[in-house]
Amino acid sequence: MHIQLLLITLIVVFAAYLGASSGQEVPACESSCGNVSITFPFGSGPGCYYSPDFLVTCNRSSGEPIPFFGTGNVVISNMSTSKSEMEIMAFVARDCYNTSGQAGGIRAWLRLRDFRVSTKNKFVAIGCDTQARVSGRRGNVSDGIGCISTCRRNSLIANGSCSGVGCCEASVPEGIRSYNITLRSFNNHRNIINFNPCSYGFFVEEGKFNFSTSNLRDFRSVEKMPMLLDWAIGDLTCDVASQNTSNFLCKGNSKCDQDYAGPGYRCNCVEGYEGNPYIENDCKNINECERGNHDCEHECIDTEGSYTCSCRKGYSGDGRRDGTGCTQDQSTLIKVVVGTSAAAILLLVFVTWLYFGLKRRKLVMLREKFFKQNGGLMLQQRISGDISSNDRAKVFTIEELKKATNNYDESRIIGKGGYGTVYKGILSDNRVVAIKKSKLADQTQAQIEQFINEVVILSQINHRNVVKLIGCCLETEVPLLVYEFIPNGTLSDHIHEKGNTLAITWDIRLRIATEAAEALSYLHSAASVPIIHRDVKPMNILLDDDYVAKVADFGASRLVPMDQIELATIVQGTLGYLDPEYLQTNQLTDKSDVYSFGVVLVELLTAKKALSFDRPEEERNLAMYFISSLKQGRLFHVLDQQLQLNEVPNEIIQVSRLAERCLRVRGDERPTMKEVAMELGGIMASMIQKHPWVQSSSNEDEAEHLLSKLNDDHFEHTNETNTNVNSSTFDSMNQHSILAISSGR
């Protein structure tokens, strides 16, 4: 049975060899694998490659297709038929020692037939107690190269230098078809194991590795390095191989490279042609005239494999800059002078007309420029199909907003944030608004997208506790947003500035926390597309005259696709409020907002800033200090003294426990914002039932509405600190795994 399978395999391989030897592309052959183009003599299926040495195996088991060299596990990163080169990811040899001097290592070797190690590579060894050697074969002759690298703790090791101190290198001789890298230690790294326990050896393409002193400790994670291989067809020279015309690949506009000394032969497209020289009739004519690759003074005329030049009327010559060029006739010169004078007069008249015309159009053109520069076209595309005509944000003109802000007078400034300045404005219909003017900076693409992101997100939000977007203006050099005006400042102003905390009592703080939680819950689970705010903090919670909370500043927010629970993003936010899990993994989830909101709850309880270097070291990070105090039973000592408490009410204990759950390091142990909002609503409803006088008359209807809502929903509240929290509001996302590539050593 095994003999039959072997015969079948040999027949298939032989048939593939014969089918591909003609140098013709087969329509069924794959042209690419991942980011690597596959073209003859390479191929990935029967009849697609010249010989088994040119087989490319495309592995699609791990998601993104990965091309492998032959049937082994050497990854191909690039290949070129014009240069007869292929770049692979070659394995790094490793020899490591522990404190007892015991070694453990990984070998690196490669066996080639029609391929050779390119002289464009360098052999590099890293280590402080290292003797590296490469045993190779050049045809039937054994050969070898190597180098020695030593150093001590006080050695002068220089970055970028591989002179033998910490790193050494050797040039690659021509024609190596196979190699085996071996590493040895003079003293088992015994005296230097604390900072250099390992030796490494590898081939790498010149210019793609720059030694750093840090490599002596942390190079262990590097398993492969880019390395170039040269290749040729067979073992016969051009003259011998061309005698067998049926198997000779250099045909049509392809010629055999006589400068290549072998073994084997290489094909090149003849001058004036380009393409794959190993495929008959694939070398196509280059149109030098269209590409500008010519030296014609006047007109270029393309010909097959070349081009010619012609002179304009009144001139003669070969038309080439490196030849006789184009010489002007005397009679033609007089005509040129007269024509030039007339043209100069006409040009003067035209320029004068153009100047005044451009001056009249300058304002219109400038506004169009700023509209495009500020992402107007991008904004139109993103919101055109998402907002109904009744809810569409108004587009204001420059004049309207200048008039509303008294030409952006400094006395109208009501706040400055990370992304711009906010002015108080009065529109023509007497509406009071807040106008956000983004910072100018360098007008980068990231800043434009940040601005458009905020417009799109706010356009999709309709909630009483989220600041309302009224419109925008794109005609100015910096983009502008127009919001509803929230008159009572930020929550940060009221809990951190002296004199303001007395006015914001505990019942007001609890209501603000509940309203902010409801807004975030809406963003996470009730909006048409879930939204993660990503910068929840008291500075971004505004208060109106009745202390109603309004969540604001969506410049850093992200829309979350419905089929994902997390997003891989660059970490963004404010220190002291950043989710530690997000900071470590770069994976943004709705639980990141929950952590930030937990810090806001602690600030409402303590009236202390989230991060302050003026406090003792153990108190600098408010969240950590609060959790520590809660565990030690010292809650009363960290509460805001302005609350004037003789003892800690049950409502504050419940909120403190809720804050502790929000601040847990693992996101899956935190509650969702919907659960946080419901729990705060339950605490507030319980407090109203026990102490109905805590609510002012202006909020009685709201309290009754909240109580009825809680009763309708059959809300059940628990004070258990170890509450099991359900997964995020969003659906599960696709899991991406990285398959380990085993060494073919």
Side-chain angles (χ1 to χ4, degrees), residues 171-366:
S171 298
V172 178
E174 189 172 353
I176 292 182
R177 289 195 172 188
S178 62
Y179 67 82
N180 183 26
I181 301 175
T182 57
L183 299 170
R184 294 181 181 177
S185 170
F186 297 106
N187 196 28
N188 296 347
H189 287 243
R190 192 161 295 157
N191 297 329
I192 53 175
I193 199 164
N194 289 332
F195 73 96
N196 177 234
C198 297
S199 296
Y200 307 94
F202 52 88
F203 285 101
V204 63
E205 183 180 351
E206 284 192 78
K208 293 198 174 182
F209 171 73
N210 190 29
F211 173 69
S212 171
T213 55
S214 61
N215 295 147
L216 294 173
R217 283 199 61 87
D218 60 7
F219 203 74
R220 188 176 299 191
S221 61
V222 180
E223 295 183 352
K224 302 176 183 178
M225 294 294 287
M227 168 183 170
L228 281 180
L229 298 179
D230 293 329
W231 54 269
I233 303 298
D235 293 318
L236 303 178
T237 63
C238 289
D239 295 336
V240 177
S242 61
Q243 296 177 7
N244 186 355
T245 56
S246 61
N247 290 328
F248 189 57
L249 299 184
C250 305
K251 297 179 180 179
N253 295 320
S254 172
K255 65 178 181 178
C256 197
D257 185 1
Q258 296 291 344
D259 295 331
Y260 174 64
Y265 68 90
R266 293 176 177 172
C267 301
N268 290 324
C269 291
V270 299
E271 187 176 358
Y273 294 84
E274 66 179 4
N276 188 341
Y278 297 94
I279 301 176
E280 187 175 358
N281 299 325
D282 194 69
C283 290
K284 307 296 183 183
N285 173 57
I286 299 174
N287 192 324
E288 293 88 353
C289 300
E290 289 184 355
R291 297 187 181 184
N293 300 332
H294 61 84
D295 62 348
C296 296
E297 290 185 0
H298 177 55
E299 183 180 1
C300 174
I301 303 171
D302 183 59
T303 61
E304 187 69 20
S306 185
Y307 65 93
T308 60
C309 302
S310 66
C311 297
R312 60 180 179 270
K313 188 176 181 181
Y315 291 77
S316 60
D318 64 6
R320 294 180 180 267
R321 294 186 182 92
D322 60 353
T324 61
C326 294
T327 306
Q328 190 177 35
D329 299 332
Q330 190 67 25
S331 59
T332 305
L333 181 61
I334 297 174
K335 294 178 182 178
V336 169
V337 172
V338 175
T340 302
S341 301
I345 296 173
L346 291 174
L347 181 61
L348 180 61
V349 174
F350 173 75
V351 169
T352 304
W353 173 84
L354 184 63
Y355 170 77
F356 289 105
L358 289 177
K359 190 173 182 180
R360 288 192 299 269
R361 296 184 57 195
K362 182 178 180 180
L363 181 61
V364 175
M365 293 175 63
L366 196 59

Side-chain angles (χ1 to χ4, degrees), residues 360-377:
R360 288 192 299 269
R361 296 184 57 195
K362 182 178 180 180
L363 181 61
V364 175
M365 293 175 63
L366 196 59
R367 291 183 180 182
E368 290 178 354
K369 172 190 172 184
F370 289 149
F371 182 83
K372 295 178 181 178
Q373 177 178 296
N374 292 331
L377 299 177

Side-chain angles (χ1 to χ4, degrees), residues 28-288:
C29 299
E30 294 184 89
S31 60
S32 65
C33 180
N35 296 325
V36 177
S37 297
I38 305 174
T39 185
F40 192 84
F42 295 93
S44 59
C48 298
Y49 48 86
Y50 174 76
S51 71
D53 287 336
F54 291 90
L55 170 64
V56 177
T57 303
C58 191
N59 189 336
R60 293 182 171 80
S61 61
S62 58
E64 179 68 22
I66 301 175
F68 287 94
F69 185 26
T71 58
N73 60 346
V74 178
V75 176
I76 300 172
S77 53
N78 195 11
M79 61 178 67
S80 170
T81 54
S82 61
K83 296 180 181 179
S84 296
E85 292 177 345
M86 180 171 72
E87 183 183 81
I88 65 172
M89 299 304 295
F91 290 98
V92 176
R94 181 181 299 116
D95 186 30
C96 295
Y97 292 81
N98 56 27
T99 53
S100 62
Q102 294 179 338
I106 298 177
R107 294 176 55 209
W109 54 266
L110 194 62
R111 301 287 182 266
L112 305 168
R113 285 188 58 190
D114 288 345
F115 291 77
R116 287 160 294 285
V117 179
S118 173
T119 57
K120 295 179 182 179
N121 299 300
K122 288 284 187 182
F123 175 68
V124 177
I126 299 173
C128 284
D129 184 17
T130 302
Q131 179 183 10
R133 178 172 175 79
V134 178
S135 300
R137 294 193 67 82
R138 302 169 63 185
N140 296 323
V141 179
S142 297
D143 200 352
I145 56 174
C147 64
I148 295 175
S149 174
T150 61
C151 57
R152 293 292 182 267
R153 288 184 178 274
N154 56 354
S155 298
L156 295 178
I157 306 173
N159 288 334
S161 173
C162 279
S163 59
V165 181
C167 175
C168 66
E169 65 180 21
S171 298
V172 178
E174 189 172 353
I176 292 182
R177 289 195 172 188
S178 62
Y179 67 82
N180 183 26
I181 301 175
T182 57
L183 299 170
R184 294 181 181 177
S185 170
F186 297 106
N187 196 28
N188 296 347
H189 287 243
R190 192 161 295 157
N191 297 329
I192 53 175
I193 199 164
N194 289 332
F195 73 96
N196 177 234
C198 297
S199 296
Y200 307 94
F202 52 88
F203 285 101
V204 63
E205 183 180 351
E206 284 192 78
K208 293 198 174 182
F209 171 73
N210 190 29
F211 173 69
S212 171
T213 55
S214 61
N215 295 147
L216 294 173
R217 283 199 61 87
D218 60 7
F219 203 74
R220 188 176 299 191
S221 61
V222 180
E223 295 183 352
K224 302 176 183 178
M225 294 294 287
M227 168 183 170
L228 281 180
L229 298 179
D230 293 329
W231 54 269
I233 303 298
D235 293 318
L236 303 178
T237 63
C238 289
D239 295 336
V240 177
S242 61
Q243 296 177 7
N244 186 355
T245 56
S246 61
N247 290 328
F248 189 57
L249 299 184
C250 305
K251 297 179 180 179
N253 295 320
S254 172
K255 65 178 181 178
C256 197
D257 185 1
Q258 296 291 344
D259 295 331
Y260 174 64
Y265 68 90
R266 293 176 177 172
C267 301
N268 290 324
C269 291
V270 299
E271 187 176 358
Y273 294 84
E274 66 179 4
N276 188 341
Y278 297 94
I279 301 176
E280 187 175 358
N281 299 325
D282 194 69
C283 290
K284 307 296 183 183
N285 173 57
I286 299 174
N287 192 324
E288 293 88 353

